[in-house]
Amino acid sequence: MVDIKPQEVDEVIDWLSNISVEGPGVTRLLYSAQWIEAQNSLKEKFEELGMKVEFDAVGNLFATIEGTEEPEKIVATGSHIDTVVEGGRFDGQLGVMGGYLAVKNLIETKGKPKKSLQVISMAEEEGSRFPYAFWGSKNIFGLAKREEVEEIADTEGIRFVDAMREAGFDFLEDGPKHNELEAFIELHIEQGNFLEAENKAVGVVNGIAGQKRYDVVLKGEANHAGTTLMEYRKDTVEAMSRMIVNGIDKAKAEGDPLVLTFGRVDPIPNTVNVVPGEVSFSIDCRHTDQAALNDFTEELENDMKQIASDMGIEIDINQWMDEAPTPMNDKIIHTIEEVCKEKELDYKVMHSGAGHDAQIFATYVPTGMIFVPSIKGISHNPEEHTETPDLVQGIEALKSSLEKLAY
């Protein structure tokens, strides 16, 4: 039996989505007026449930209903409320509003829990306003460093520190305050099309893919497009193209869950009648297994170096990200699966190709994730959509999991 009411789901999503900059989709950037309004409005909404609500120094919001037997043990859920510019109605905020609805239903139907229940509305995850991601969750565990943000600014030149203090917050000075969590579950949209393709309403996430990111620069020789014979060219776009085709072919042969993306491309001089003498491009490679990720990217790097050598091209490979895969906790995975079976929810065990706050939590707290489908896999876009019946199943899975862990 599913207790979550579809109309209530739509109402709370509509309510929070309306706290946004005017324009397409939802825009709610860290420490903006809209972000401040959303966090304060959420505070009021949680207090109406009788929950104790507090902010930490940087603006993470913690809403807690104290347990009757083991109040020092906290079972938590939540996500982030910041968005990308002109984002969708579900990314991040579904985890907060889903947590609100799950806890609201539990309080109304089961009373107070034995262990404390907490919903966390994290300050920031996206890195959309400032070039820094996971500011909220990293501060919860004392991972964020002051020097990493002191000199950064947004596109309008507003410094991170000034925006934070203008919003009424400041650096965390005396260490993390919320490392007493016993469990954490994050509800999120999939942001891919796997669940939709499989016709499943709920994804039970067993791990978050690790990823490596690179910037690659190739240097050849710029020359006249009309007078330079093909055999004498040191064409960096040709070299890049050979590297891309080779890499993509090998990625397809490797198969799931490995994914490889060549994203940004910047040829120089980037004009119609000059052989490009320099090009830079980005690489993003992800896999759920660290050894497999290492082996593939090592082969990819060696292949690129060989192609460059064969063509007389200089190559510089800069790996600037190396995030390890993050497994979810077996006990939490089992708990979510168990309630899906009990509630006859249409679920699938799967991995996440995208990063989430849950990967920060998982190092310190037994952590799980629940996905709901994204229509056509669209996210970070006003067209982002999940059907209400799927939202209901996802929130039901969350609610019943929290019940098993806290009641």
Side-chain angles (χ1 to χ4, degrees):
M1 178 181 174
V2 175
D3 298 324
I4 301 299
K5 298 176 179 61
Q7 182 179 346
E8 194 170 17
V9 173
D10 289 338
E11 286 173 353
V12 297
I13 293 294
D14 287 344
W15 169 77
L16 189 53
S17 298
N18 285 329
I19 305 176
S20 166
V21 173
E22 289 187 18
V26 181
T27 300
R28 190 188 304 125
L29 304 182
L30 177 64
Y31 298 138
S32 66
Q34 295 76 24
W35 178 92
I36 295 168
E37 181 184 351
Q39 286 289 64
N40 286 327
S41 297
L42 284 166
K43 180 177 184 292
E44 294 175 5
K45 211 163 189 64
F46 285 118
E47 285 174 338
E48 289 171 3
L49 297 181
M51 303 179 79
K52 177 186 176 183
V53 185
E54 60 180 351
F55 287 99
D56 68 7
V58 302
N60 290 310
L61 181 152
F62 301 84
T64 309
I65 184 81
E66 193 170 85
T68 57
E69 296 181 14
E70 299 177 279
E72 74 283 358
K73 295 181 179 179
I74 298 176
V75 176
T77 186
S79 195
H80 60 97
I81 65 148
D82 68 308
T83 72
V84 299
V85 176
E86 296 184 359
R89 290 158 40 86
F90 302 99
D91 180 13
Q93 67 179 25
L94 171 63
V96 178
M97 298 316 299
Y100 163 79
L101 288 171
V103 172
K104 178 175 182 288
N105 183 272
L106 287 170
I107 293 171
E108 291 173 350
T109 60
K110 304 291 181 181
K112 286 192 172 184
K114 293 178 180 178
K115 299 175 183 178
S116 296
L117 263 178
Q118 188 173 80
V119 183
I120 308 173
S121 177
M122 274 164 267
E124 190 277 341
E125 186 255 22
E126 296 285 3
S128 296
R129 182 178 182 185
F130 301 98
Y132 190 98
F134 298 111
W135 175 247
S137 53
K138 282 185 174 180
N139 268 283
I140 291 174
F141 300 101
L143 301 174
K145 296 179 176 61
R146 175 193 287 256
E147 59 269 22
E148 294 174 328
V149 298
E150 279 184 317
E151 300 303 321
I152 64 175
D154 65 13
T155 55
E156 296 180 0
I158 299 172
R159 295 172 65 242
F160 183 100
V161 175
D162 294 338
M164 176 173 63
R165 290 174 175 156
E166 181 69 24
F169 299 100
D170 211 328
F171 290 107
L172 191 68
E173 297 291 356
D174 50 357
K177 295 186 179 298
H178 294 276
N179 50 5
E180 68 278 8
L181 299 174
E182 187 174 78
F184 177 76
I185 302 177
E186 183 175 11
L187 173 65
H188 208 281
I189 56 170
E190 181 193 349
Q191 300 178 287
N193 63 354
F194 179 76
L195 287 174
E196 184 184 31
E198 294 282 319
N199 198 29
K200 299 293 183 182
V202 176
V204 180
V205 178
N206 57 11
I208 297 174
Q211 56 181 299
K212 295 176 185 273
R213 291 185 185 179
Y214 300 83
D215 285 331
V216 181
V217 179
L218 304 179
K219 292 184 179 180
E221 186 175 80
N223 221 325
H224 195 291
T227 62
T228 310
L229 299 180
M230 299 302 289
E231 61 186 298
Y232 298 126
R233 296 183 179 205
K234 292 186 177 180
D235 185 339
T236 56
V237 167
E238 179 192 353
M240 178 191 69
S241 301
R242 291 177 184 271
M243 295 171 188
I244 291 173
V245 170
N246 173 74
I248 295 296
D249 284 347
K250 287 192 172 181
K252 288 180 177 179
E254 180 77 17
D256 297 334
L258 182 128
V259 289
L260 177 67
T261 304
F262 294 84
R264 176 192 50 77
V265 175
D266 184 20
I268 298 173
N270 196 20
T271 189
V272 67
N273 60 347
V274 179
V275 177
E278 183 175 328
V279 67
S280 62
F281 58 96
S282 65
I283 303 174
D284 179 311
C285 189
R286 309 187 189 201
H287 200 295
T288 54
D289 181 83
Q290 184 69 65
L293 179 61
N294 291 343
D295 289 345
F296 183 86
T297 52
E298 182 180 354
E299 183 176 354
L300 181 68
E301 290 180 44
N302 290 334
D303 287 349
M304 291 193 296
K305 291 173 184 175
Q306 187 62 55
I307 291 168
S309 176
D310 292 344
M311 296 182 66
I313 301 286
E314 294 179 28
I315 183 169
D316 179 61
I317 302 172
N318 173 32
Q319 180 185 314
W320 57 271
M321 176 185 284
D322 188 1
E323 294 283 350
T326 307
M328 297 293 100
N329 178 266
D330 288 339
K331 178 188 173 184
I332 306 298
I333 294 170
H334 176 73
T335 299
I336 300 169
E337 270 203 272
E338 194 174 31
V339 302
C340 285
K341 291 172 183 175
E342 290 174 1
K343 294 287 183 175
E344 299 182 345
L345 305 178
D346 203 8
Y347 80 97
K348 181 86 173 179
V349 177
M350 62 182 294
H351 78 276
S352 171
H356 298 285
D357 286 308
Q359 74 192 62
I360 305 297
F361 277 75
T363 301
Y364 304 93
V365 180
T367 296
M369 280 200 82
I370 297 169
F371 277 168
V372 291
S374 297
I375 302 301
K376 297 181 181 178
I378 295 172
S379 184
H380 286 189
N381 185 312
E383 297 302 314
E384 176 183 280
H385 185 64
T386 301
E387 298 291 351
T388 301
D390 292 335
L391 296 173
V392 168
Q393 288 207 41
I395 297 170
E396 183 65 36
L398 174 64
K399 183 211 76 175
S400 298
S401 298
L402 295 176
E403 181 180 352
K404 276 190 180 293
L405 293 168
Y407 278 79

